[in-house]
Structure formats: C-alpha cells, structure tokens
Amino acid sequence: KHFIFWVLVRSIRRNSTHRGRTDIRNHMKHHVGFTLIELMIALVVIATIAGAVFTRTSETVTQLSSIERRTFASWVAENEMERLRLGRLTSELPIPLGTTASQIRLGNQDWKILRTVQATSHPWLRRAQFTIFALVNGVELGPLDTVTTFIGRY
C-alpha cells in the first residue's frame, strides 16, 4: 500500500503545476477505494477458493462414509465367522456344504451375508467364505467385504 501511495503522490506532483499539500489531498479524495474491476477480480478469486474448499469437503465426507460402511461390513463378516466357529462347539455334525444367505441389522444398517461352505482335500476341514453386502432401500451395495476362513471338525 505504501508503494502505491508514493507512486500516486509522484504522479500527482509531476502533473500538477502547484506542488502544495492541498492538491494531493484533493486528488486522493477523488481516487480513494477500489475500482469495479478490482472488486470483480477479488470476487472471482474468493469464489474459486470457496468452490475448491466445498468440493474437497464433500469428497472427504464421501470417503468417510465409505470407510465407515466398509468397517461395519468387516465387523459383520467377523461376527458371522465367529458364530459359525461357536456353532461347532455345540454340534458333532460337519458344517453343511453350500451357499446360504441371511440378513442382519448392525449400526442402523441392514446387511446381507452370503455364506459359502466348501469341502477341502481333508475330510475334517471346511472352507467358509463370507461375502457382505449393505442393503439400502432393498438394494444391495457391494460386495463391501469378503472373509475366508478354514474351520476344522474339532
């Protein structure tokens, strides 16, 4: 600001025949403030920065929602895996082969679980795979997580 002021003062002194203080003050009274173009440029810069901040904020919220959903899906898969393992403690029968679907509610969200149990080369060992989908208004989103485990007879 000081530099601009002194440039303005020099130009007034060069163009003026009288070098008194009153000429400088009178000239400054008429040229104080910003021009319309300067205000428009400032407005464009501020709008651009605000748009970038808004875009970045919405991307962050979307990423946070996705991370939260995948974390809950992982918990659902781990819960189902442990439920199957605990079921082995109360039953002598082998885990039935095939695919089953079930639904649960966790974290104010409905989840669909596809459990696929397959035989392995060892008769006492089963391969269980849990695939987790989020249910939003009856529509499946995903798969969000897939967990595979091996469960023995004992």
Side-chain angles (χ1 to χ4, degrees), residues 41-140:
I41 290 172
L43 185 61
V44 167
V45 168
I46 290 171
T48 303
I49 291 171
V53 168
F54 178 75
T55 301
R56 211 57 179 132
T57 302
S58 74
E59 288 174 4
T60 302
V61 169
T62 302
Q63 289 174 352
L64 180 63
S65 173
S66 174
I67 289 170
E68 180 183 21
R69 188 172 279 156
R70 285 184 289 162
T71 300
F72 272 106
S74 175
W75 290 345
V76 168
E78 289 176 15
N79 286 346
E80 290 301 308
M81 181 176 60
E82 291 305 316
R83 186 173 289 141
L84 186 62
R85 283 187 178 154
L86 288 173
R88 293 297 313 127
L89 298 175
T90 60
S91 174
E92 288 293 320
L93 298 174
I95 299 170
L97 300 176
T99 300
T100 59
S102 61
Q103 289 185 13
I104 65 163
R105 184 160 183 83
L106 178 70
N108 292 330
Q109 172 75 51
D110 291 322
W111 302 94
K112 179 179 179 182
I113 304 148
L114 286 180
R115 181 181 82 181
T116 304
V117 179
Q118 298 171 333
T120 62
S121 59
H122 194 282
W124 290 356
L125 190 63
R126 302 276 195 226
R127 178 183 186 269
Q129 180 174 340
F130 302 91
T131 306
I132 311 301
F133 299 87
L135 294 175
V136 178
N137 297 327
V139 178
E140 291 180 7

